[in-house]
Amino acid sequence: MSIAAKANTIWQYANPKKFLATSERVLPFFWATAAICLVVGLVWGFFFTPDDFRQGSTVKIIYLHVPSALMAINCWLMMLVTSLVWLVRRHHVSALAARAAAPIGVVMTLIALVTGAIWGQPMWGTWWAWDPRLTSFLILFLFYLGYIALWEAIEDPDTAADLTSVLCLVGSVFAILSRYAVNFWNQGLHQGASVMRAGAVTGTDTTEKVSNVFFYPLFLCIIGFVLLFIALVLYRTGTEIRARRIRALLARERAGA
Amino acid sequence: MTLIVTDLAIARGGVPVLEGLGFALEPGQALVVRGPNGIGKTTLLRTIAGLQPPLAGQIAGAEDRIAYAGHSDGIKPTLTVTENLNFWAAVFGARGILGALDAYDLHELADRHAGNLSAGQKRRLGLARLLVTGRPIWVLDEPTVSLDKEAVGKFADAVRAHLGQGGSALIATHIDLGLEAATLDVGPFRAVPKPVDDFDGDFL
Amino acid sequence: MIALLFRDLKLAMRAGGGFGLGLVFFLIVTTLVPFAVGPQSDLLASIAPGVLWLGALLACLLSLDRLLALDWEDGTLDLLATAPLPLEAVVSVKALAHWITTGLPLVLAAPVFGVLLNLPGPGFFWLVVSLAVGTPALSVVGTFGAALTVGLKRGGLLLSLLVLPLYVPTLIFGAEVARRGAQGMETGTPLLMLGGITLATIALLPFASAAVLRVNLR
């Protein structure tokens, strides 16, 4: 297959009708696999793994904390990509997908922050510390809020899509800048990102690692969160498309058509 | 150079309002745009002035040659009449403002703060701005709002003088200016909505 | 471009232009802080760099919603967009005018407010340097926020919500320079970072500001 033909197969989903038809067909699959992964992963993680020798059973919040934190960042990345697609190719579905994803990202960020606080209290003796990671997530949370507020504030949907896309681009640059600034400002309590480190998986690093016992259910939970995210985004994008459609129809009616 | 508009389609708030519109505006000509309220005259003029992109069609010969005057005049109330005009003269590459003051009889008001002017006087100042731009194509949206009869006459004189120098003007107005101008009725170009079940990438 | 700059400065100086309002706001914040945290001079001395930076930042924020909104309301932006000036230049000049009327007075007045908060001796120089290097970024970023919200009826609060997260890096490095300077520590790294952020925003952000302004004008 030529590259052009391949590109065509992706862009055909930019048609709202095609998108709706396809997403309705695949949604049940995503809902089901997400549910299976999450139920199995969480039950396995909560009830069938040993307590950590240092952290006790509090460690088990990792099964919510790590996947939600990952998705909080990946959701912003997805919004960045779809915003770029909107700015370059002007596909409405892309802009609406970004709009649909933002509230999911906020919830993921909030879950990560709250579970982090619950985990941090017994571990560090405090609900909140101005640690770089925590602070970065708080700033990410603010970016999400600003992005959503801008979408809500602007009446014309195309204008809103353009402005929020530029905000997403500029915001991404500043979010990365903030991450480094915060790191510079305060070295923190939070352990490194230990899940995906080579040492963690092979078990050679004994001080800060997630051992295999914890890793398999955690991996399942991460997959579950990814699938859940995809399902939610597809579902919400469908809702946004229908809302846009209603808006367009109402506008036509007012215009006397 | 002639302003040529071909097969233009424009939208307001995401809804197409006019389509298939075309005309040519030669130097020395004026064209009066007419049509009922809400048909998209303002949108048309803003599109030609380059403030918003058209849905379809071409606009040739407009680049950097248009002086646009919309519903608001861009006048700063805390600056004097002279300062307001001097600013726009500087932005468009300095020309004297005396001619502009003459044309609209603004000499007596020259040192007044624009905030103290009446609505009609402000409008005259806004129209005087066109004369300092040195741009050949005037695109004017309801230029005679709040002008008295005498001022409308002055405006018509200014347009005539502008046309005489090889300029051209595109004017949306409801009153008769007494100009030798062709009329463009945009009514027949009202956009025909697509069938409702045609659900394409633009939702329209 | 120079005409636009002079016009903006003139407008700011005339009645109702709001010149000096930021400065008065800065003074009030500085006055209120000791009431809130107590009059102990060593406590004030330790928080002075941060408080002064925060005060400067908020004073900058205060005048942002007028930056483009006035020109938007009276149609000047429409006319400027059809003028020979590129919109990128217009927003850059607007940001420069904002800095001259807001940022520069803050930089010059900061040492006086530093006295009020018992800022330690070596801190004065670094406070002024950090504000001088950092406040241009506040104006440029603020112009972007103002361009985003220019078409909105009550954009003021939204403007703060959008702009404040973007101020985080500048605030962190700026306050860090002032804090380290006050404690007699080395200030090279944060100062370079602060300068880098300022230069990068001046170089790149006007393009984004002009792009969103074009969207808002159509």
Side-chain angles (χ1 to χ4, degrees):
Chain A
M1 197 193 292
S2 74
I3 292 169
K6 210 176 241 169
N8 249 336
T9 55
I10 298 171
W11 297 122
Q12 66 177 334
Y13 297 106
N15 178 302
K17 242 181 178 169
K18 178 92 184 155
F19 177 89
L20 280 183
T22 314
S23 69
E24 262 157 30
R25 236 186 12 254
V26 298
L27 257 176
F29 165 77
F30 280 111
W31 287 125
T33 45
I36 292 168
C37 284
L38 281 177
V39 167
V40 172
L42 287 176
V43 169
W44 183 359
F46 283 152
F47 301 110
F48 299 97
T49 54
D51 289 354
D52 186 82
F53 75 99
R54 257 185 320 135
Q55 307 187 10
S57 58
T58 53
V59 74
K60 292 182 175 177
I61 206 164
I62 197 173
Y63 301 115
L64 287 174
H65 180 69
V66 169
S68 60
L70 275 177
M71 289 325 293
I73 295 168
N74 288 335
C75 177
W76 186 273
L77 275 180
M78 177 231 140
M79 282 158 56
L80 178 61
V81 172
T82 49
S83 294
L84 274 171
V85 170
W86 159 251
L87 286 178
V88 176
R89 298 201 49 138
R90 313 298 290 180
H91 292 316
H92 287 83
V93 172
S94 187
L96 290 179
R99 177 181 186 158
I104 306 172
V106 167
V107 173
M108 291 294 175
T109 315
L110 207 56
I111 293 176
L113 283 170
V114 170
T115 53
I118 295 170
W119 194 2
Q121 213 285 328
M123 282 294 298
W124 305 330
T126 172
W127 295 102
W128 181 261
W130 289 96
D131 161 275
R133 270 168 185 266
L134 278 66
T135 314
S136 302
F137 263 79
L138 194 59
I139 296 170
L140 183 65
F141 185 62
L142 295 179
F143 273 112
Y144 272 122
L145 290 186
Y147 178 88
I148 294 172
L150 190 62
W151 259 114
E152 295 302 322
I154 302 165
E155 221 162 289
D156 184 76
D158 278 4
T159 307
D162 279 332
L163 297 185
T164 51
S165 296
V166 177
L167 177 68
C168 186
L169 255 66
V170 173
S172 303
V173 176
F174 276 84
I176 293 167
L177 263 179
S178 304
R179 179 88 183 88
Y180 285 101
V182 164
N183 263 338
F184 177 83
W185 164 76
N186 189 2
Q187 277 77 33
L189 301 164
H190 200 289
Q191 57 182 313
S194 47
V195 177
M196 292 302 174
R197 270 213 314 248
V201 182
T202 52
T204 50
D205 180 354
T206 49
T207 50
E208 272 192 7
K209 59 143 193 173
V210 177
S211 63
N212 285 346
V213 197
F214 299 120
F215 181 75
Y216 293 128
L218 178 57
F219 187 70
L220 212 55
C221 284
I222 291 174
I223 300 284
F225 264 75
V226 171
L227 291 168
L228 179 66
F229 174 76
I230 294 173
L232 283 170
V233 168
L234 289 178
Y235 188 69
R236 285 184 50 83
T237 307
T239 312
E240 293 289 348
I241 288 174
R242 291 186 177 92
R244 250 322 273 288
R245 175 71 173 149
I246 290 169
R247 240 195 96 95
L249 288 175
L250 284 175
R252 276 169 63 116
E253 210 168 88
R254 271 198 302 276
Chain B
M1 209 165 99
T2 315
L3 172 73
I4 301 168
V5 171
T6 34
D7 203 20
L8 190 71
I10 55 174
R12 180 184 54 219
V15 183
V17 284
L18 294 174
E19 64 187 9
L21 191 86
F23 62 85
L25 187 61
E26 307 275 349
Q29 269 188 353
L31 186 61
V32 173
V33 180
R34 288 193 199 276
N37 288 332
I39 193 156
K41 294 192 294 294
T42 296
T43 312
L44 172 65
L45 295 189
R46 287 181 70 86
T47 307
I48 290 171
L51 285 168
Q52 63 180 63
L55 276 184
Q58 289 85 40
I59 301 167
E63 189 81 8
D64 280 336
R65 301 174 68 243
I66 284 185
Y68 170 76
H71 293 291
S72 37
D73 294 316
I75 292 168
K76 290 294 168 191
T78 48
L79 297 183
T80 66
V81 169
T82 316
E83 283 171 328
N84 268 304
L85 279 179
N86 270 331
F87 165 66
W88 288 111
V91 165
F92 281 91
R95 289 180 154 222
I97 63 162
L98 285 177
L101 290 175
D102 280 338
Y104 288 97
D105 208 4
L106 289 165
H107 279 290
E108 282 172 26
L109 306 171
D111 294 324
R112 287 260 288 276
H113 280 199
N116 298 334
L117 299 180
S118 75
Q121 288 168 331
K122 269 187 199 158
R123 193 79 228 192
R124 269 151 66 194
L125 173 55
L127 292 171
R129 184 186 62 82
L130 293 168
L131 291 168
V132 302
T133 60
R135 292 270 174 99
I137 305 173
W138 289 0
V139 174
L140 313 177
D141 194 1
E142 301 285 359
T144 57
V145 171
S146 61
L147 289 184
D148 59 18
K149 218 176 202 151
E150 194 191 348
V152 171
K154 285 203 167 60
F155 166 66
D157 289 343
V159 173
R160 250 179 241 119
H162 177 65
L163 299 180
Q165 290 162 11
S168 54
L170 185 64
I171 308 171
T173 183
H174 292 288
I175 68 163
D176 184 19
L177 295 169
L179 289 171
E180 299 262 322
T183 303
L184 172 72
D185 185 3
V186 292
F189 301 103
R190 188 196 286 271
V192 181
K194 285 185 217 163
V196 174
D197 54 329
D198 186 14
F199 187 3
D200 74 353
D202 288 334
F203 301 91
L204 298 169
Chain C
M1 278 172 78
I2 293 165
L4 181 61
L5 178 62
F6 279 127
R7 188 204 64 148
D8 270 20
L9 295 180
K10 216 185 258 174
L11 284 173
M13 305 292 271
R14 295 269 162 97
F19 182 71
L21 265 183
L23 210 52
V24 176
F25 179 81
F26 195 17
L27 172 66
I28 292 174
V29 169
T30 319
T31 316
L32 290 181
V33 166
F35 297 146
V37 302
Q40 302 90 336
S41 52
D42 51 338
L43 174 64
L44 286 178
S46 72
I47 62 168
V51 167
L52 289 170
W53 248 93
L54 196 60
L57 189 145
L58 292 177
C60 250
L61 191 70
L62 196 66
S63 49
L64 283 180
D65 60 336
R66 304 168 57 96
L67 183 68
L68 293 168
L70 291 180
D71 278 350
W72 161 270
E73 279 159 17
D74 65 16
T76 306
L77 277 179
D78 280 348
L79 304 179
L80 280 175
T82 54
L85 280 180
L87 222 42
E88 284 81 2
V90 171
V91 291
S92 303
V93 169
K94 287 259 160 203
L96 178 61
H98 178 261
W99 183 72
I100 292 176
T101 54
T102 316
L104 192 58
L106 293 179
V107 174
L108 298 177
V112 181
F113 299 139
V115 173
L116 289 177
L117 293 179
N118 298 80
L119 188 69
F124 284 92
F125 173 72
W126 290 110
L127 177 69
V128 172
V129 167
S130 67
L131 281 174
V133 173
T135 45
L138 299 183
S139 288
V140 175
V141 174
T143 308
F144 172 66
L148 271 177
T149 55
V150 71
L152 299 171
K153 284 280 179 299
R154 275 182 294 278
L157 197 60
L158 181 62
L159 176 62
S160 315
L161 180 58
L162 295 179
V163 164
L164 283 177
L166 302 179
Y167 278 173
V168 168
T170 301
L171 176 62
I172 287 179
F173 288 118
E176 188 74 8
V177 171
R179 191 182 62 79
R180 289 190 178 194
Q183 294 172 354
M185 289 159 65
E186 186 264 341
T187 55
T189 315
L191 189 60
L192 282 177
M193 293 300 292
L194 184 66
I197 290 171
T198 301
L199 290 177
T201 51
I202 291 174
L204 300 175
L205 219 46
F207 293 100
S209 309
V212 294
L213 201 53
R214 258 182 217 114
V215 170
N216 267 325
L217 281 175
R218 72 181 185 216

